[in-house]
Amino acid sequence: MSTRSLARIIPSIPVSDGAGIKLRRSLGQSQGLRLDPFLMLDEFASDNPDDYIAGFPPHPHRGFETVTYMLAGDFEHEDHLGHKGHLRGGGAQWMTAGRGIIHSEMPLQESDRLHGFQFWINLPAKEKMKPAAYRDIQPEEIPEVTIDGGSVKVVAGRLETADGRTADGPIQGLSTATLFLDVRLEAGARFTQSVADGHSAFLYPYAGSLQVGAGEGRTLTNRQAGVLSDGDSIEVQAGEDGGHFLLLAARPIGEPVVQYGPFVMNTREEIEQALADYRDGRLTA
C-alpha cells in the first residue's frame, strides 16, 4: 500500500457570509484553493449568538451540492419546494442544488454553542441541471464505530477499520464516490483508512493536532486543511491533546469550473444563463 503524505496546508481565514454569520474558510477562500471536486469548506463555531443569529436568509444555488454537518446547535432549512428540515447537533444535511434551489438556513437558538461545517461538492456537467433535492440525516442514522483509541462517524462512503471491520454511511452512490468521516482520536492514537488511488483527499482538524503520513509524518494543527498526496491509504496519529478531524475524499471530475457566487457551472455562458434565470424567476422552473 502507498501511504499518502501531507502535500499542502491551507490555513483557514475568518470570513463573514449570509447575513453576517462569522465563519472560518479554508478550501475556497480563493479560486486557486480548491481540490476537485471540493469547492469550499467553512467551519462555524461560536458561543456568542451575535456571531450566528442572522443566519443565511433565502438565497439561490445552481450546479453543485452543499453538505452541512453539525457538532452542536440547531438549524432550520426551508426551500422553494416547500421542504422544511431540522438540522440538529450530530446530524447532517446533503442538498443537491442541481438546476436550481432557493433556500434559507436559520439557527433555531438564541443562545448556547453553534458548531458545524459546510462544504460544497461540484457536480459533473451531466448532473448540473438535474432536479434539486435534499436529505436530512438525523444523528441516529450516522454509524459511529469504536476503534482503538477513539471513534469514527461515517456520513458518506465506507469506513474500513484496521482490524477488518467495515461500516457504510447513509450517503452512497454518488458519481464522485465521496467519503466523509468524522474521526475522534485520543492522544497518541493512530488511524488508517484506505482511499482509492487517484481520488482527491484532505483532512481538517477541528480540535487538537495530527501527524500525517507514515512514520513521524508532518504536523497538521487545528483549523488547517491538509491536502494529501496521491496513494491508496491514509495514516494519521493524534497529537498530545488528541485529534478530532474531518476526512474528505472523492473522485475528481476533471472539468472546467466557472463560479459566480452561488452558481457553479462549466462555462461563462452557463453562468450568465443562471443569472438571467434567477433574475427572471426561471432558476427553479
Side-chain angles (χ1 to χ4, degrees):
M1 296 181 71
S2 173
T3 302
R4 294 181 180 233
S5 60
L6 188 56
R8 185 180 190 182
I9 295 174
I10 304 174
S12 64
I13 61 172
V15 299
S16 178
D17 210 333
I21 188 167
K22 294 183 179 180
L23 311 165
R24 294 196 68 92
R25 181 166 295 164
S26 50
L27 268 68
Q29 59 188 257
S30 70
Q31 292 189 5
L33 295 178
R34 299 185 181 126
L35 180 65
D36 186 14
F38 300 105
L39 301 165
M40 187 191 78
L41 173 65
D42 285 347
E43 178 183 15
F44 41 94
S46 180
D47 297 299
N48 181 359
D50 291 340
D51 291 342
Y52 61 74
I53 198 68
F56 300 91
H59 58 280
H61 291 299
R62 173 180 279 182
F64 61 100
E65 296 184 300
T66 72
V67 181
T68 309
Y69 177 60
M70 299 296 295
L71 298 180
D74 295 81
F75 262 107
E76 182 177 68
H77 161 95
E78 292 187 78
D79 64 33
H80 75 280
L81 299 170
H83 294 148
K84 182 180 289 189
H86 180 188
L87 180 56
R88 53 196 177 100
Q93 182 192 84
W94 207 286
M95 187 188 80
T96 300
R99 173 184 171 80
I101 197 164
I102 299 173
H103 77 145
S104 64
E105 301 156 293
M106 302 299 292
L108 282 174
Q109 59 191 69
E110 296 181 354
S111 62
D112 299 325
R113 185 161 183 78
L114 188 75
H115 191 185
F117 308 89
Q118 184 174 98
F119 60 93
W120 292 5
I121 307 176
N122 199 14
L123 286 170
K126 64 182 180 181
E127 296 181 24
K128 284 186 177 294
M129 297 297 281
K130 68 182 182 180
Y134 77 97
R135 177 176 174 183
D136 280 319
I137 306 167
Q138 300 304 322
E140 56 270 18
E141 297 180 69
I142 300 176
E144 183 169 9
V145 179
T146 300
I147 60 173
D148 287 343
S151 65
V152 184
K153 291 186 176 182
V154 190
V155 183
R158 169 170 287 188
L159 168 71
E160 298 178 357
T161 68
D163 58 5
R165 293 175 293 153
T166 62
D168 292 332
I171 299 296
Q172 301 286 332
L174 303 178
S175 60
T176 51
T178 302
L179 173 70
F180 175 18
L181 306 179
D182 175 9
V183 185
R184 305 176 187 196
L185 300 178
E186 300 169 0
R190 290 186 175 272
F191 172 77
T192 61
Q193 168 71 25
S194 63
V195 176
D197 230 351
H199 283 204
S200 301
F202 73 96
L203 308 169
Y204 184 85
Y206 58 88
S209 62
L210 306 172
Q211 297 297 119
V212 182
E216 292 186 0
R218 289 181 61 192
T219 301
L220 185 66
T221 60
N222 186 17
R223 293 181 163 178
Q224 295 179 330
V227 177
L228 302 178
S229 67
D230 201 7
D232 57 14
S233 70
I234 294 171
E235 181 178 333
V236 303
Q237 182 176 14
E240 60 183 13
D241 295 322
H244 296 184
F245 62 97
L246 307 183
L247 188 165
L248 288 156
R251 179 185 295 119
I253 295 172
E255 296 176 352
V257 176
V258 181
Q259 179 177 354
Y260 184 85
F263 307 127
V264 182
M265 304 301 290
N266 296 98
T267 68
R268 182 66 192 179
E269 292 74 19
E270 290 171 334
I271 290 293
E272 291 173 355
Q273 185 63 58
L275 289 167
D277 287 346
Y278 181 53
R279 181 187 63 238
D280 299 337
R282 298 192 304 264
L283 184 81
T284 60

